[in-house]
Amino acid sequence: MSHDAPTDQELAERFRPVFARIAEGAAQRDLDRQLAHEPVRWLAEAGFGALRVPREFGGLGASVEQHYDLLIELGEADSNLPQALRSHFGFIERLYAEVDPALHEPWLRRIADGAIFGNATTERGDHPLGELDTVLRETPDGWRLTGEKFYSTGTLYADWIQVSARREGRAAAPEGHQTFVLVPATAEGVTREDDWTGFGQRLSASGTTRFDAVAVDPAHILSYSRQGPTPMTAVFQLTHLATLAGIARAIVRETAAFVRPRKRTFSHGAGQAPAEDPLVQQVVGQLSATAFTATAAVRAVARTLGAADRVRQREGRLPPALLVQAELETAQAQVGLIDSVLGAGSRLFDVGGASALLESRGLDRHWRNARTLASHNPTPYKARLLGDHAINGTGPSFYWTVGARAA
């Protein structure tokens, strides 16, 4: 794939006009809680969902590094959208990393044709750690899927939904494998609800999805091994970090735009106008430095994932040492950049008075969205992992679940 990748300039010319169009309405959509159906369609029509699909299947053949650079730019335009597409791109990378290559082509061609994939993985409640209540049963009428998921990020925008499930019947999943099912979003028995009530990432479409005896084509039942190194935890987490880097860049852009035309200043200010005040300039400079370091951290991890992907393309395997490196680097980037981006989301208000707080400006959305993203895979666990590795040489855990521990 990478040997036939488009140039950075080609990708910029293709997508930056779409990103600019998306950015124009981002603050108002957040204020009105208007789901981003149109922006997702603009992206799909431009081929954004097929970035990582090889040219031979109708995609753009972009590299891992190009993919994350564009996610940062999209996150700068509207931070809801990289998260909404996180499962879509994760599905593509899972095909490459964990699914039999003989099964790839039909799905990659669907994506090249514009299909968007959502997610229904996580379940609420105190079910036992590592167990799923959603079940895929073999019945006399074929396979049927029943269950309820929450945090179904992107699914309200999707054409297909990836659903993790417990498989029951003669064709059980192999030992140590996780089953996932691909279901058309409009299939009979599928219900999608816009009931995400978090204070941030309001438009990432992360609500409830229900499956009531949904008929499943056997060809749409896949599985992957939950043993050994994988790039997937790094892939998913790096999407969050790319989004945070985009938020940091949006903070710089919108703060500078707020300061530039202002005439109102304080009697004890250090300049004739805010734009000339060295203290205001210092704050914006600090915000700029945060955006730079966040972007650099994401790019560093993307280079490692890109190197691993190029080995996969050449040799048909993923090198374990690079996967371990990518997992550790992702944790380092997460621990290193989250507090600085959260700080930038608060520090931006130091450039102005109460007018910066007007709801119509939407400047508060940057901190709210960053705080919401930072709550995924909490940072203290990643810092502990890094400390254990540095002290004891302990390797990272690539597969983990949520639930209640047995007493």
Side-chain angles (χ1 to χ4, degrees), residues 199 247 342-343 345-346 363-372:
F199 62 63
I247 289 173
L342 288 173
S346 178
L363 294 176
D364 64 303
R365 78 187 191 280
H366 298 308
W367 184 89
R368 288 188 290 101
N369 291 344
R371 180 62 266 177
T372 302

Side-chain angles (χ1 to χ4, degrees), residues 61-381:
S63 69
V64 170
E65 293 90 336
Q66 290 172 324
H67 167 64
Y68 282 104
D69 266 355
L70 289 169
L71 283 185
I72 292 171
E73 291 197 35
L74 178 58
E76 181 181 353
D78 185 339
S79 68
N80 290 281
L81 296 180
Q83 187 185 7
L85 295 172
R86 177 172 174 257
S87 294
H88 171 87
F89 288 115
F91 171 59
I92 296 170
E93 300 303 328
R94 173 150 282 146
L95 287 177
Y96 298 152
E98 299 178 339
V99 175
D100 182 350
L103 303 176
H104 293 181
E105 183 172 349
W107 302 107
L108 294 175
R109 290 200 180 279
R110 286 184 176 98
I111 293 166
D113 289 340
I116 298 296
F117 284 69
N119 135 78
T121 299
T122 306
E123 300 173 354
R124 288 196 287 189
D126 293 331
H127 54 275
L129 190 67
E131 292 189 12
L132 294 172
D133 292 330
T134 301
V135 62
L136 177 67
R137 289 191 177 92
E138 191 176 21
T139 75
D141 296 322
W143 289 97
R144 299 286 174 169
L145 178 69
T146 298
E148 180 177 309
K149 302 287 189 177
F150 196 60
Y151 309 113
S152 306
T153 306
T155 292
L156 288 170
Y157 304 131
D159 303 294
W160 289 81
I161 308 171
Q162 308 162 72
V163 190
S164 60
R166 184 179 77 253
R167 195 190 310 189
E168 294 181 354
R170 290 173 298 168
E175 183 69 26
H177 282 63
Q178 173 64 60
T179 294
F180 70 104
V181 184
L182 296 158
V183 178
T186 57
E188 184 177 355
V190 175
T191 304
R192 296 174 287 171
E193 294 188 14
D194 177 22
D195 57 352
W196 167 243
T197 58
F199 62 63
Q201 295 297 96
R202 293 170 173 171
L203 311 182
S204 58
S206 298
T208 298
T209 308
R210 296 186 177 88
F211 304 91
D212 182 11
V214 177
V216 175
D217 185 328
H220 299 172
I221 302 171
L222 302 176
S223 68
Y224 62 90
S225 173
R226 290 180 58 84
Q227 302 171 11
T230 177
M232 295 312 302
T233 42
V235 163
F236 282 120
Q237 191 60 41
L238 194 58
T239 301
H240 284 324
L241 301 183
T243 310
L244 284 162
I247 289 173
R249 289 163 63 152
I251 286 171
V252 178
R253 185 192 70 230
E254 293 188 20
T255 304
F258 170 76
V259 169
R260 200 171 291 120
R262 279 176 62 80
K263 304 300 180 186
R264 186 179 174 90
T265 189
F266 295 95
S267 61
H268 52 292
Q272 291 297 313
E276 300 170 3
D277 190 321
L279 299 179
V280 172
Q281 293 170 351
Q282 178 183 357
V283 171
V284 177
Q286 290 170 327
L287 301 179
S288 175
T290 295
F292 174 82
T293 54
T295 298
V298 171
R299 286 174 171 168
V301 183
R303 284 195 297 272
T304 302
L305 283 172
D309 188 64
R310 284 183 283 278
V311 173
R312 174 192 66 81
Q313 293 174 52
R314 290 193 309 268
E315 304 176 16
R317 66 176 188 90
L318 284 162
L322 279 177
L323 300 184
V324 170
Q325 179 182 338
E327 186 67 18
L328 293 171
E329 287 178 351
T330 305
Q332 290 170 325
Q334 179 179 347
V335 174
L337 71 82
I338 279 181
D339 283 349
S340 63
V341 176
L342 288 173
S346 178
R347 191 177 302 116
L348 73 89
F349 294 100
D350 290 339
V351 302
S355 61
L357 307 177
L358 295 178
E359 192 174 51
S360 60
R361 295 190 185 278
L363 294 176
D364 64 303
R365 78 187 191 280
H366 298 308
W367 184 89
R368 288 188 290 101
N369 291 344
R371 180 62 266 177
T372 302
L373 289 164
S375 298
H376 290 270
N377 312 319
T379 303
Y381 292 102

